[in-house]
Structure formats: C-alpha cells, structure tokens
Amino acid sequence: RKTIHFLSWELVTTVGEMSAISAAEKVDGFTRKSVRKAQRQKRSHGSSQFRSPTSPIELSPLQQLKDAPLSEHQELFIQKLQQCCVLFDFYDSVSDLKSKEVKRATLNELIDFISTNRGVLVDSSYGDVVKMISTNIFRTLPPSDNPDFDPEEDEPTLEAAWPHLQLVYEFFLRFLESPDFQPSSAKRYIDQKFVLQLLELFDSEDPRERDFLKTILHRIYGKFLGLRAFIRKQINNIFLCFIYETDHFNGVAELLEILGSIINGFALPLKAEHKQFLIKVLIPMHTAKGLAMFHAQLAYCVVQFLEKDSALSEIVVRGLLKIWPKTCSQKEVMFLGEIEEILDVIEPSQFKKIHEPLFRQISKCVSSPHFQVAERALYFWNNEYILSLIEENINTVLPLMFGSLYRISKEHWNPTIVALVYNVLKTLMEMNSKLFDELTASYKVERQREKKKEHEREELWRKLEELKLKKTMSEIQSNANNIQIALTSKAGAK
C-alpha cells in the first residue's frame, strides 16, 4: 500500500510538473530547456527508484568476524553475505537509516576480511559471494531523464544507491584479485549469462560505476580463458548495435579501453575475426555522432592493430578517407590527430601505397577556412618521422600540396596559419629546390592562365550585357514608333 501510495504521489507530481512546463512554454519559448534542466537537477540521484522493491527488513549487526573464533569464520562470512543481499530504497533518503548503516558497515567488514585473510574463499562460499554481488548490481537501468542527453554538456544521472553499490563493486574486485580465488570454482557462477548482465551495466550514466565495471571485466577476461571469445563477441555486438541502430551507449569509451589491452595481447599472425573486427566495427565507429567522447580510446585500438600488423595500414587509412567528415571541423581535427598517430607507426613500404590519396585530403584540410583544421594539418611537418616519409616521396607529395600551400600563403585570413605555411614551404623547398622552382614557375603560369580566362569571361559577360542593353533600347524605340504611328492614324481618322 505504501508503495502504491508513493507511486501515485509521484505520478501526480510528474503530471503537475508537465502542466507547469506547458504553461511556461506558452509564455516564453526559452523556458522549456531551463525547466527541463531544473527537473534533471532535482532528480539527478534517482535511478534506484526503478529497482524492484523488497519487503522492508530490519537488519541487526552480526558479530564482528575479527572477534569470532576461527572455526566460526566461514559460517559467519556466509551469514554476512546473505545479510548484504537485502536491498534498500535510496530514493527515499530518510527510510531504513539504521539498516542501511548496518549493511554499509558489513560490506566494509567483508572487504577488509577478504583482503587481509588467507583461506577464506572455499568452494562452498563462491555461490553465496556471486549471489550477493548479482543481487546488488544487476538491475534494469532506467531510461535517461533527458532524451537529448549530451555527455559533453549535461550532468549524468548518478546512481542513488552508490553508497552501497560502490562497496559491492569494491568487494567484487577484491574477490577477483584475491590470492585464494580459483577460476575453476568460480566458473560455475561467473558464466556467459553473468557476463551478459555485466555488459548491460556499461550503459549506466554514472561514470563511477562504469569505471569499476571496466576494471572488473578486464579481470574476468584475464582469469576466465573460456569466456574470452564470448566477451569479445558480445562487445562486438554492442558496438554494431551502437553504430547501426541506437547511436547511443554510455560505456563505449570504457569497453574500447578494455579492448585496447586485449588487442595488445593478440598473438601473431592475427586471426581473420580480429581483422574483421577492425574493418567492420572499429573503422565504422568513426562515423558516430558522439565520437569526441571515445575517440582517444578508439584511435588507440586502431594503432594497436597496426603495430601488430603493418599490412593493415592501407585498409585503415583508405577506410578513414572514405568516411572523412565534410561539415564537422571538430571531427576533422580528431581524424587528423589519428592519422598522425597512424603515420608514426606506419612502415615506409605501406606509406607508398597510401600517400597520394592521403595528401590530397591533407591538402584540402590545409586549405580549410577553419583555422584549427588547417593548423592541425600543418603540424604534420613538425613530426620528424613524417618528414622523413615525405622526403622519401617528395616527388609525389610536393605537387599535391604545393598549389594549396602557395595559395593560402597569399590569401588565408589567419596570420598564424600563414606563418606556419611559410615554414612548411621553406621545409619543402629544402627537400627538393629544383622541383620547388619548377612548381613555382608552373603555378605562376597557371595563375596567369586562370587570370586570362577570368578576364575573358568578364569581357564576354560585358559584351552580353551590352548586347542585351542594345536589344532593350531597340525594343523601346520600336514600341515608341508604334505608339507614334497609332496616335497619328487615330488623329487622321478624326
């Protein structure tokens, strides 16, 4: 009854808030966003309201493990685990305060006990440990309070039950890292279903929870060899769903961070499934709207693949060029940063395969009116290794870049970019002065030809305008004559 009454009160409050928004919107269109923001701030600690309520149980403190005889440790340990399976409603901040404190103290005691004692994890206790962890952390995540949630702008919804959840995650981590931990005993409970539920939690808006999950999943991947392929496959599925269906998943950065270390441990030669993951998942992920939130981790994964197998460089670079952003300068800057990281590890033989299409794109970036894009592209010439690659292929690179560089040195609006361009031109001239002079001469001839064409075009338009004017004047004269004739004939008739 209390629960029904509470939910009814919540419904009335929500309906009242909705009507208030409507009224405010009628008065001022700008109010809509501010009202929604105020509501989000009021409910910023509310996700535990979506958890299944359990019957209220009054918890009483059990005997301290350190005070109990050694023979009773195991039984008392199990009792404390069972006691911690009781869940509380943290959305109601004043209910069950005593029991919440008892559970918090018990969790702290369990963490200390499992960290400082040996021989506490016996086969019979694994089931109770995993049951306590599962009961506390696995739940249906609530929908976001803000459908237009922007991780860069908006505050995330924090988990209201974090005072207990944090301790459960800490206990789980100590459990996995304990010297007594036996994967052979735990694999009956930490199975594929458990991992699936764990991966679903990565969509939590609370960054503190995702950080714990990242470390825990990495430990599970390291200790349970039989689950490794399954974990990779499920992460693959999450990413495909993110790319092609939802375009939203809060834990992308954390999962990519785990993958970075997994890729680092891949054996050579790389399996076909790993290469497919790079081509079909990691490259298309660059098209995501929220790329800025996980680009650093994504670029790290891509570079790890190239360090493992340099033959993949051409596929990766051509893949990035194919989806190069056209209208988003922030993404262009990120792509340029990633290209530089790739060029840092590329083999000279692989560079020869991609330098033409790559420097065509860099030439466009250098010419960008957005100074950050142009600046980021020009910074390539500050990298010694990239400079050496350019020098080896100067006969191809210089003609691709020269026109853009020469033009913006005369026309770009930003003096910083102009100064950088002069430095780049000087460097290229030092690499091959003869070719540079030839290109300068041909560029000037081309510019003269273009100016001549422009002059001819303008002259043609001028002549057309004159012809049009003459035609108009003749038509006016003709009309005037016709009118005069008409008036004369009318006067004669009278």
Side-chain angles (χ1 to χ4, degrees), residues 3-21:
T3 306
I4 293 167
H5 176 72
F6 175 72
L7 291 171
S8 303
W9 182 84
E10 278 289 300
L11 186 61
V12 170
T13 308
T14 307
V15 170
E17 286 171 349
M18 285 169 67
S19 59
I21 292 170

